[in-house]
mmCIF file with all atom_site columns, all heavy atoms in Angstrom:
data_model
loop_
_atom_site.group_PDB
_atom_site.id
_atom_site.type_symbol
_atom_site.label_atom_id
_atom_site.label_alt_id
_atom_site.label_comp_id
_atom_site.label_asym_id
_atom_site.label_entity_id
_atom_site.label_seq_id
_atom_site.pdbx_PDB_ins_code
_atom_site.Cartn_x
_atom_site.Cartn_y
_atom_site.Cartn_z
_atom_site.occupancy
_atom_site.B_iso_or_equiv
_atom_site.pdbx_formal_charge
_atom_site.auth_seq_id
_atom_site.auth_comp_id
_atom_site.auth_asym_id
_atom_site.auth_atom_id
_atom_site.pdbx_PDB_model_num
ATOM 1   N N   . LYS F 1 10 ? 70.842 -9.630  -26.918 1.00 93.00 ? 10 LYS F N   1
ATOM 2   C CA  . LYS F 1 10 ? 69.474 -10.173 -26.947 1.00 93.00 ? 10 LYS F CA  1
ATOM 3   C C   . LYS F 1 10 ? 68.449 -9.080  -26.626 1.00 93.00 ? 10 LYS F C   1
ATOM 4   O O   . LYS F 1 10 ? 67.401 -8.995  -27.265 1.00 93.00 ? 10 LYS F O   1
ATOM 5   C CB  . LYS F 1 10 ? 69.347 -11.320 -25.955 1.00 93.00 ? 10 LYS F CB  1
ATOM 6   C CG  . LYS F 1 10 ? 67.983 -11.970 -25.937 1.00 93.00 ? 10 LYS F CG  1
ATOM 7   C CD  . LYS F 1 10 ? 67.959 -13.135 -24.957 1.00 93.00 ? 10 LYS F CD  1
ATOM 8   C CE  . LYS F 1 10 ? 66.602 -13.808 -24.928 1.00 93.00 ? 10 LYS F CE  1
ATOM 9   N NZ  . LYS F 1 10 ? 66.600 -14.955 -24.001 1.00 93.00 ? 10 LYS F NZ  1
ATOM 10  N N   . ILE F 1 11 ? 68.757 -8.241  -25.665 1.00 92.00 ? 11 ILE F N   1
ATOM 11  C CA  . ILE F 1 11 ? 67.848 -7.154  -25.284 1.00 92.00 ? 11 ILE F CA  1
ATOM 12  C C   . ILE F 1 11 ? 67.592 -6.226  -26.473 1.00 92.00 ? 11 ILE F C   1
ATOM 13  O O   . ILE F 1 11 ? 66.454 -5.883  -26.775 1.00 92.00 ? 11 ILE F O   1
ATOM 14  C CB  . ILE F 1 11 ? 68.411 -6.366  -24.085 1.00 92.00 ? 11 ILE F CB  1
ATOM 15  C CG1 . ILE F 1 11 ? 68.332 -7.209  -22.820 1.00 92.00 ? 11 ILE F CG1 1
ATOM 16  C CG2 . ILE F 1 11 ? 67.677 -5.037  -23.906 1.00 92.00 ? 11 ILE F CG2 1
ATOM 17  C CD1 . ILE F 1 11 ? 69.169 -6.673  -21.674 1.00 92.00 ? 11 ILE F CD1 1
ATOM 18  N N   . VAL F 1 12 ? 68.650 -5.820  -27.148 1.00 94.00 ? 12 VAL F N   1
ATOM 19  C CA  . VAL F 1 12 ? 68.503 -4.900  -28.272 1.00 94.00 ? 12 VAL F CA  1
ATOM 20  C C   . VAL F 1 12 ? 67.674 -5.540  -29.381 1.00 94.00 ? 12 VAL F C   1
ATOM 21  O O   . VAL F 1 12 ? 66.720 -4.945  -29.891 1.00 94.00 ? 12 VAL F O   1
ATOM 22  C CB  . VAL F 1 12 ? 69.877 -4.439  -28.799 1.00 94.00 ? 12 VAL F CB  1
ATOM 23  C CG1 . VAL F 1 12 ? 69.744 -3.730  -30.131 1.00 94.00 ? 12 VAL F CG1 1
ATOM 24  C CG2 . VAL F 1 12 ? 70.549 -3.532  -27.777 1.00 94.00 ? 12 VAL F CG2 1
ATOM 25  N N   . ILE F 1 13 ? 68.028 -6.744  -29.757 1.00 95.00 ? 13 ILE F N   1
ATOM 26  C CA  . ILE F 1 13 ? 67.320 -7.405  -30.849 1.00 95.00 ? 13 ILE F CA  1
ATOM 27  C C   . ILE F 1 13 ? 65.858 -7.639  -30.505 1.00 95.00 ? 13 ILE F C   1
ATOM 28  O O   . ILE F 1 13 ? 64.957 -7.309  -31.285 1.00 95.00 ? 13 ILE F O   1
ATOM 29  C CB  . ILE F 1 13 ? 68.016 -8.725  -31.223 1.00 95.00 ? 13 ILE F CB  1
ATOM 30  C CG1 . ILE F 1 13 ? 69.378 -8.421  -31.846 1.00 95.00 ? 13 ILE F CG1 1
ATOM 31  C CG2 . ILE F 1 13 ? 67.155 -9.554  -32.171 1.00 95.00 ? 13 ILE F CG2 1
ATOM 32  C CD1 . ILE F 1 13 ? 70.279 -9.611  -31.955 1.00 95.00 ? 13 ILE F CD1 1
ATOM 33  N N   . ALA F 1 14 ? 65.603 -8.196  -29.340 1.00 93.00 ? 14 ALA F N   1
ATOM 34  C CA  . ALA F 1 14 ? 64.218 -8.493  -28.954 1.00 93.00 ? 14 ALA F CA  1
ATOM 35  C C   . ALA F 1 14 ? 63.391 -7.217  -28.838 1.00 93.00 ? 14 ALA F C   1
ATOM 36  O O   . ALA F 1 14 ? 62.241 -7.172  -29.287 1.00 93.00 ? 14 ALA F O   1
ATOM 37  C CB  . ALA F 1 14 ? 64.201 -9.262  -27.636 1.00 93.00 ? 14 ALA F CB  1
ATOM 38  N N   . THR F 1 15 ? 63.972 -6.190  -28.275 1.00 91.00 ? 15 THR F N   1
ATOM 39  C CA  . THR F 1 15 ? 63.246 -4.928  -28.119 1.00 91.00 ? 15 THR F CA  1
ATOM 40  C C   . THR F 1 15 ? 62.848 -4.366  -29.480 1.00 91.00 ? 15 THR F C   1
ATOM 41  O O   . THR F 1 15 ? 61.705 -3.958  -29.687 1.00 91.00 ? 15 THR F O   1
ATOM 42  C CB  . THR F 1 15 ? 64.087 -3.909  -27.336 1.00 91.00 ? 15 THR F CB  1
ATOM 43  O OG1 . THR F 1 15 ? 64.358 -4.436  -26.037 1.00 91.00 ? 15 THR F OG1 1
ATOM 44  C CG2 . THR F 1 15 ? 63.362 -2.583  -27.201 1.00 91.00 ? 15 THR F CG2 1
ATOM 45  N N   . VAL F 1 16 ? 63.780 -4.354  -30.411 1.00 93.00 ? 16 VAL F N   1
ATOM 46  C CA  . VAL F 1 16 ? 63.490 -3.809  -31.741 1.00 93.00 ? 16 VAL F CA  1
ATOM 47  C C   . VAL F 1 16 ? 62.488 -4.689  -32.490 1.00 93.00 ? 16 VAL F C   1
ATOM 48  O O   . VAL F 1 16 ? 61.607 -4.174  -33.178 1.00 93.00 ? 16 VAL F O   1
ATOM 49  C CB  . VAL F 1 16 ? 64.801 -3.625  -32.544 1.00 93.00 ? 16 VAL F CB  1
ATOM 50  C CG1 . VAL F 1 16 ? 64.517 -3.289  -33.986 1.00 93.00 ? 16 VAL F CG1 1
ATOM 51  C CG2 . VAL F 1 16 ? 65.650 -2.540  -31.887 1.00 93.00 ? 16 VAL F CG2 1
ATOM 52  N N   . LEU F 1 17 ? 62.587 -5.994  -32.328 1.00 93.00 ? 17 LEU F N   1
ATOM 53  C CA  . LEU F 1 17 ? 61.642 -6.886  -33.009 1.00 93.00 ? 17 LEU F CA  1
ATOM 54  C C   . LEU F 1 17 ? 60.213 -6.702  -32.506 1.00 93.00 ? 17 LEU F C   1
ATOM 55  O O   . LEU F 1 17 ? 59.270 -6.768  -33.279 1.00 93.00 ? 17 LEU F O   1
ATOM 56  C CB  . LEU F 1 17 ? 62.051 -8.351  -32.825 1.00 93.00 ? 17 LEU F CB  1
ATOM 57  C CG  . LEU F 1 17 ? 63.195 -8.840  -33.687 1.00 93.00 ? 17 LEU F CG  1
ATOM 58  C CD1 . LEU F 1 17 ? 63.545 -10.275 -33.311 1.00 93.00 ? 17 LEU F CD1 1
ATOM 59  C CD2 . LEU F 1 17 ? 62.838 -8.747  -35.158 1.00 93.00 ? 17 LEU F CD2 1
ATOM 60  N N   . TYR F 1 18 ? 60.072 -6.502  -31.216 1.00 90.00 ? 18 TYR F N   1
ATOM 61  C CA  . TYR F 1 18 ? 58.731 -6.428  -30.634 1.00 90.00 ? 18 TYR F CA  1
ATOM 62  C C   . TYR F 1 18 ? 58.243 -4.995  -30.433 1.00 90.00 ? 18 TYR F C   1
ATOM 63  O O   . TYR F 1 18 ? 57.089 -4.784  -30.097 1.00 90.00 ? 18 TYR F O   1
ATOM 64  C CB  . TYR F 1 18 ? 58.682 -7.225  -29.330 1.00 90.00 ? 18 TYR F CB  1
ATOM 65  C CG  . TYR F 1 18 ? 58.767 -8.704  -29.603 1.00 90.00 ? 18 TYR F CG  1
ATOM 66  C CD1 . TYR F 1 18 ? 59.997 -9.355  -29.613 1.00 90.00 ? 18 TYR F CD1 1
ATOM 67  C CD2 . TYR F 1 18 ? 57.632 -9.437  -29.901 1.00 90.00 ? 18 TYR F CD2 1
ATOM 68  C CE1 . TYR F 1 18 ? 60.075 -10.715 -29.893 1.00 90.00 ? 18 TYR F CE1 1
ATOM 69  C CE2 . TYR F 1 18 ? 57.701 -10.791 -30.186 1.00 90.00 ? 18 TYR F CE2 1
ATOM 70  C CZ  . TYR F 1 18 ? 58.929 -11.421 -30.181 1.00 90.00 ? 18 TYR F CZ  1
ATOM 71  O OH  . TYR F 1 18 ? 59.012 -12.762 -30.472 1.00 90.00 ? 18 TYR F OH  1
ATOM 72  N N   . ASP F 1 19 ? 59.135 -4.035  -30.644 1.00 89.00 ? 19 ASP F N   1
ATOM 73  C CA  . ASP F 1 19 ? 58.764 -2.623  -30.558 1.00 89.00 ? 19 ASP F CA  1
ATOM 74  C C   . ASP F 1 19 ? 59.607 -1.876  -31.595 1.00 89.00 ? 19 ASP F C   1
ATOM 75  O O   . ASP F 1 19 ? 60.562 -1.166  -31.254 1.00 89.00 ? 19 ASP F O   1
ATOM 76  C CB  . ASP F 1 19 ? 59.020 -2.104  -29.150 1.00 89.00 ? 19 ASP F CB  1
ATOM 77  C CG  . ASP F 1 19 ? 58.432 -0.729  -28.884 1.00 89.00 ? 19 ASP F CG  1
ATOM 78  O OD1 . ASP F 1 19 ? 57.826 -0.146  -29.823 1.00 89.00 ? 19 ASP F OD1 1
ATOM 79  O OD2 . ASP F 1 19 ? 58.594 -0.234  -27.756 1.00 89.00 ? 19 ASP F OD2 1
ATOM 80  N N   . PRO F 1 20 ? 59.288 -2.034  -32.895 1.00 90.00 ? 20 PRO F N   1
ATOM 81  C CA  . PRO F 1 20 ? 60.134 -1.521  -33.976 1.00 90.00 ? 20 PRO F CA  1
ATOM 82  C C   . PRO F 1 20 ? 60.560 -0.059  -33.874 1.00 90.00 ? 20 PRO F C   1
ATOM 83  O O   . PRO F 1 20 ? 61.689 0.262   -34.264 1.00 90.00 ? 20 PRO F O   1
ATOM 84  C CB  . PRO F 1 20 ? 59.299 -1.785  -35.239 1.00 90.00 ? 20 PRO F CB  1
ATOM 85  C CG  . PRO F 1 20 ? 58.479 -2.982  -34.876 1.00 90.00 ? 20 PRO F CG  1
ATOM 86  C CD  . PRO F 1 20 ? 58.138 -2.790  -33.413 1.00 90.00 ? 20 PRO F CD  1
ATOM 87  N N   . PRO F 1 21 ? 59.740 0.854   -33.345 1.00 90.00 ? 21 PRO F N   1
ATOM 88  C CA  . PRO F 1 21 ? 60.222 2.234   -33.235 1.00 90.00 ? 21 PRO F CA  1
ATOM 89  C C   . PRO F 1 21 ? 61.458 2.400   -32.334 1.00 90.00 ? 21 PRO F C   1
ATOM 90  O O   . PRO F 1 21 ? 62.148 3.408   -32.400 1.00 90.00 ? 21 PRO F O   1
ATOM 91  C CB  . PRO F 1 21 ? 59.025 2.993   -32.665 1.00 90.00 ? 21 PRO F CB  1
ATOM 92  C CG  . PRO F 1 21 ? 57.839 2.190   -33.083 1.00 90.00 ? 21 PRO F CG  1
ATOM 93  C CD  . PRO F 1 21 ? 58.318 0.764   -33.033 1.00 90.00 ? 21 PRO F CD  1
ATOM 94  N N   . MET F 1 22 ? 61.746 1.386   -31.533 1.00 91.00 ? 22 MET F N   1
ATOM 95  C CA  . MET F 1 22 ? 62.922 1.445   -30.660 1.00 91.00 ? 22 MET F CA  1
ATOM 96  C C   . MET F 1 22 ? 64.230 1.309   -31.437 1.00 91.00 ? 22 MET F C   1
ATOM 97  O O   . MET F 1 22 ? 65.300 1.539   -30.884 1.00 91.00 ? 22 MET F O   1
ATOM 98  C CB  . MET F 1 22 ? 62.841 0.354   -29.586 1.00 91.00 ? 22 MET F CB  1
ATOM 99  C CG  . MET F 1 22 ? 61.667 0.521   -28.633 1.00 91.00 ? 22 MET F CG  1
ATOM 100 S SD  . MET F 1 22 ? 61.845 1.958   -27.578 1.00 91.00 ? 22 MET F SD  1
ATOM 101 C CE  . MET F 1 22 ? 62.880 1.302   -26.303 1.00 91.00 ? 22 MET F CE  1
ATOM 102 N N   . LEU F 1 23 ? 64.143 0.975   -32.719 1.00 93.00 ? 23 LEU F N   1
ATOM 103 C CA  . LEU F 1 23 ? 65.357 0.833   -33.528 1.00 93.00 ? 23 LEU F CA  1
ATOM 104 C C   . LEU F 1 23 ? 66.208 2.097   -33.468 1.00 93.00 ? 23 LEU F C   1
ATOM 105 O O   . LEU F 1 23 ? 67.432 2.027   -33.335 1.00 93.00 ? 23 LEU F O   1
ATOM 106 C CB  . LEU F 1 23 ? 65.005 0.496   -34.982 1.00 93.00 ? 23 LEU F CB  1
ATOM 107 C CG  . LEU F 1 23 ? 66.178 0.418   -35.952 1.00 93.00 ? 23 LEU F CG  1
ATOM 108 C CD1 . LEU F 1 23 ? 67.141 -0.694  -35.546 1.00 93.00 ? 23 LEU F CD1 1
ATOM 109 C CD2 . LEU F 1 23 ? 65.666 0.181   -37.368 1.00 93.00 ? 23 LEU F CD2 1
#
Side-chain angles (χ1 to χ4, degrees):
K10 182 178 180 179
I11 289 165
V12 168
I13 292 166
T15 299
V16 170
L17 283 176
Y18 290 92
D19 191 359
M22 296 292 277
L23 176 62

